[in-house]
Amino acid sequence: MQTFSNDDWRSASELYAFLGNSLLDPMNRTEAVGLDVEFWIAISRMFNGSLESEATALASWANGHAHESREHVVRDVSVEFTHLFVGPPKPAAAPWESAYGNVESHVGFGAATHEMRGIMRDMGLSLQNESNQYEDHIGIELLIASEMCRRIADGLSCGVACSVVEEIDATPQRSDSNDGNVMDTLRFAEYAIEHPLRWIGKMRARVSAEAPDGYFVRMLGLAEAALSWHVRQVEK
């Protein structure tokens, strides 16, 4: 198993948090840092350069819109977000894991929703969001990955509450042994495989069919590449 430093885990936590928030709400309600070429160049150096291809694609996309007003690009990306993940009349690329089961659909809420609720409950997390999204939304799944990485960096158990996707009262427990850290690292990898990585490629294919030159097909590619790299290192 590849050993990660606490700083590595914190960097991963920050990346997954950015990706999760970017896929949970439109750009006009979140950060517009994705329009900055320099931001993506910095991301390309993460994970020993393993994200270079995906981050460079995003840098190229940002550079291609550099001549446009920032307000105009934010508006267009927000419109793309709404078309893909909200609708009307329905999302072109459903953002819920439940929509990518044995029979694919455009609606959420299913077995994966209940599984994600159980994971959040085990971690002491509660979901409080204005969008009233299901727990198996891709943005929320990435935010949970972020929280797992943050806890590992801080020496806290992934199975015990200490923080949240949204603020809750919780009491942290510290992992006092290397065995605890290894178990939490394995739990992170298992979670990534069984949830976001199980379906993010299918979601990206739908996004690519609708907006092949857009922002979000590249964002999903980056998220998939980051999670896949992380899991490969854990499995070494």
Side-chain angles (χ1 to χ4, degrees), residues 185-202:
T185 298
L186 292 173
R187 183 178 184 187
F188 167 82
E190 180 181 24
Y191 166 77
I193 292 167
E194 293 184 353
H195 288 284
L197 282 176
R198 191 189 69 80
W199 64 286
I200 195 170
K202 296 178 182 179

Side-chain angles (χ1 to χ4, degrees), residues 69-116:
S69 73
R70 202 171 182 87
E71 181 180 354
H72 178 81
V73 180
V74 168
R75 183 196 65 195
D76 285 352
V77 172
S78 299
V79 169
E80 180 189 345
F81 177 97
T82 301
H83 169 66
L84 290 172
F85 309 136
V86 181
K90 59 187 178 184
W96 310 286
E97 182 178 349
S98 295
Y100 298 87
N102 293 332
V103 179
E104 294 192 16
S105 68
H106 291 274
V107 297
F109 199 84
T113 314
H114 291 287
E115 290 172 10
M116 289 304 303

Side-chain angles (χ1 to χ4, degrees), residues 3-229:
T3 300
F4 301 102
S5 69
N6 289 343
D7 286 343
D8 290 335
W9 283 112
R10 290 190 184 95
S11 294
S13 175
E14 291 170 0
L15 176 61
Y16 294 134
F18 168 73
L19 292 168
N21 285 319
S22 297
L23 291 164
L24 193 56
D25 286 304
M27 189 179 280
N28 60 10
R29 293 177 54 189
T30 57
E31 299 179 84
V33 69
L35 305 184
D36 299 330
V37 173
E38 294 78 9
F39 174 76
W40 297 116
I41 291 174
I43 296 295
S44 73
R45 302 189 183 106
M46 291 184 66
F47 298 178
N48 298 323
S50 64
L51 305 181
E52 182 176 3
S53 176
E54 292 76 16
T56 298
L58 280 154
S60 297
W61 175 90
N63 188 57
H65 293 277
H67 65 285
E68 303 175 46
S69 73
R70 202 171 182 87
E71 181 180 354
H72 178 81
V73 180
V74 168
R75 183 196 65 195
D76 285 352
V77 172
S78 299
V79 169
E80 180 189 345
F81 177 97
T82 301
H83 169 66
L84 290 172
F85 309 136
V86 181
K90 59 187 178 184
W96 310 286
E97 182 178 349
S98 295
Y100 298 87
N102 293 332
V103 179
E104 294 192 16
S105 68
H106 291 274
V107 297
F109 199 84
T113 314
H114 291 287
E115 290 172 10
M116 289 304 303
R117 285 180 178 175
I119 289 170
M120 292 179 69
R121 183 174 59 250
D122 289 346
M123 294 179 68
L125 302 178
S126 67
L127 184 60
Q128 301 168 7
N129 64 87
E130 295 178 0
S131 302
N132 296 316
Q133 285 292 353
Y134 297 130
E135 287 82 352
D136 61 339
H137 188 286
I138 186 61
I140 293 169
E141 291 196 4
L142 288 168
L143 288 175
I144 291 174
S146 169
E147 174 64 6
M148 286 183 170
C149 292
R150 190 194 68 79
R151 293 185 184 192
I152 294 170
D154 291 344
L156 299 168
S157 171
C158 283
V160 179
C162 67
S163 180
V164 289
V165 176
E166 297 279 346
E167 187 84 18
I168 61 169
D169 292 329
T171 302
Q173 278 194 9
R174 193 163 292 277
S175 291
D176 294 325
S177 69
N178 288 333
D179 288 345
N181 184 271
V182 168
M183 289 299 295
D184 285 324
T185 298
L186 292 173
R187 183 178 184 187
F188 167 82
E190 180 181 24
Y191 166 77
I193 292 167
E194 293 184 353
H195 288 284
L197 282 176
R198 191 189 69 80
W199 64 286
I200 195 170
K202 296 178 182 179
M203 180 183 175
R204 185 170 182 265
R206 285 194 192 176
V207 170
S208 181
E210 289 289 328
D213 300 319
Y215 180 66
F216 291 102
V217 67
R218 292 166 171 80
M219 286 286 282
L220 288 166
L222 178 63
E224 184 174 16
L227 289 165
S228 297
W229 179 87

